[in-house]
Amino acid sequence: MLIETADGVISGRGKNLEQLIVASNDVAASTAQLVAASRVKAAFASKTQERLEEASRAVTGACRSLVRQVQSIIHSRDNGEEERVDYAKLGDHEFKVREMEQQVEILQLENALASARTRLGEMRKVSYRED
């Protein structure tokens, strides 16, 4: 999934940068699960287990670095796209209209976020039942 997402971002086939963060976090989480599961099966002081844990730390570090870089790109992109308005120069009515529009946008985003979190919770409940 990480490779497909990165390929989509690089080639511009509609994958967005946030998907890259999600895929990277998923790789880090899956790696941690693999290490935890292998600890149960590994012999005490196993060299293979030590190498696996070392590789896991490298994967986690690489994922963390990727997330930081992508967040930096997103931040740069978002700052470049923002509309620059000198609010001090707006009239009282126009200022109040823009303020209310911003509040509406924030509420819409908060509602969308709450709905997305609810859907994700439901999806995770189903996946836990299947495991």
Side-chain angles (χ1 to χ4, degrees):
M1 186 69 165
L2 179 61
I3 292 169
E4 289 175 13
T5 304
D7 185 49
V9 168
I10 291 169
S11 65
R13 288 193 313 254
K15 299 287 183 180
N16 63 37
L17 293 170
E18 288 80 1
Q19 287 175 315
L20 199 53
I21 292 173
V22 170
S24 182
N25 288 338
D26 193 44
V27 167
S30 295
T31 302
Q33 286 177 337
L34 173 66
V35 170
S38 69
R39 280 186 189 137
V40 173
K41 298 287 185 176
F44 181 73
S46 166
K47 294 292 182 192
T48 304
Q49 182 66 26
E50 287 177 25
R51 287 195 312 270
L52 178 63
E53 291 187 19
E54 206 172 288
S56 172
R57 283 189 290 276
V59 167
T60 301
C63 289
R64 195 175 301 128
S65 177
L66 176 61
V67 168
R68 277 194 303 267
Q69 290 296 321
V70 170
Q71 287 173 334
S72 174
I73 292 168
I74 291 170
H75 181 72
S76 297
R77 177 193 67 193
D78 290 348
N79 285 340
E81 292 178 3
E82 285 182 7
E83 176 186 344
R84 301 289 180 210
V85 176
D86 186 358
Y87 295 108
K89 292 182 180 179
L90 294 178
D92 289 342
H93 177 71
E94 188 177 358
F95 180 83
K96 191 64 176 174
V97 167
R98 287 192 181 218
E99 182 182 19
M100 291 180 74
E101 287 172 348
Q102 193 62 54
Q103 289 175 347
V104 167
E105 182 181 353
I106 289 168
L107 286 173
Q108 289 171 336
L109 291 169
E110 286 174 345
N111 288 335
L113 179 60
S115 294
R117 284 189 171 141
T118 300
R119 285 191 307 274
L120 179 60
E122 293 299 318
M123 293 169 71
R124 287 184 174 161
K125 283 180 190 176
V126 169
S127 73
Y128 292 145
R129 284 188 218 131
E130 290 175 0
D131 290 343

